Amino acid sequence: MSNLIYEKQALRDGFGLAGGVDEAGRGPLAGPVVAAAVILNNNNAEFKNRVDDSKLLSPIQRQNAYYEITKNAFVGVGIISELIIDTYNILEATKLAMVNAVNNCVLKLLSKNHHYQKEKICFLTVSLTMFCAKLFVTNPLS
């Protein structure tokens, strides 16, 4: 995926900002579930490095994309422990991790850009920014 077609459509639909959210850790039988939410600094951003599904990238491509994302986006992370997963279930824990990631992302955005306080924000689950979020949660550097 090489462009921001879904993000641009969200902007045309009246949202002031568009970002992506994704999770990692739903498959393993042990360990936390981690989610990331990403809003790009510029919705017309062009990445120098390939940004795609992390499974399609080599380790060096993931690392390069990760560094570029951290320089060009607001990123929020949500981590939900095994205790919460065991107490409720993996689906509810995943939702909570995503909500925490989105909240943390928006807080970082608002701490730098106060003029966004009244904007509607759309978080997408199939988009370039979602792949940014996936790269962030699957990268061992994060």
Side-chain angles (χ1 to χ4, degrees), residues 50-123:
R50 180 177 173 197
V51 175
D52 204 335
D53 188 334
S54 59
K55 295 176 191 88
L56 301 176
L57 301 178
S58 71
I60 192 72
Q61 287 175 313
R62 283 193 299 273
Q63 181 178 348
N64 290 339
Y66 171 86
Y67 285 125
E68 191 170 0
I69 292 163
T70 58
K71 289 181 184 177
N72 295 301
F74 296 96
V75 179
V77 176
I79 302 171
I80 301 301
S81 72
E82 302 88 332
L83 178 63
I84 300 297
I85 295 168
D86 293 342
T87 302
Y88 297 98
N89 62 51
I90 188 61
L91 179 60
E92 295 305 315
T94 301
K95 290 178 192 176
L96 185 56
M98 288 182 157
V99 167
N100 289 347
V102 166
N103 287 339
N104 289 331
C105 183
V106 170
L107 286 172
K108 285 183 182 178
L109 171 77
L110 293 177
S111 72
K112 301 285 184 189
N113 298 297
H114 297 287
H115 63 279
Y116 286 123
Q117 287 182 348
K118 295 184 181 180
E119 294 285 355
K120 292 190 303 181
I121 303 173
C122 174
F123 280 92

Side-chain angles (χ1 to χ4, degrees), residues 23-28 30-34 85 90:
E23 54 73 31
R26 285 185 64 177
V33 63
V34 180
I85 295 168
I90 188 61

Side-chain angles (χ1 to χ4, degrees), residues 120-138:
K120 292 190 303 181
I121 303 173
C122 174
F123 280 92
L124 305 159
T125 56
V126 177
S127 64
L128 181 68
T129 51
M130 181 278 300
F131 285 128
C132 290
K134 180 171 278 305
L135 281 164
F136 202 84
V137 295
T138 59

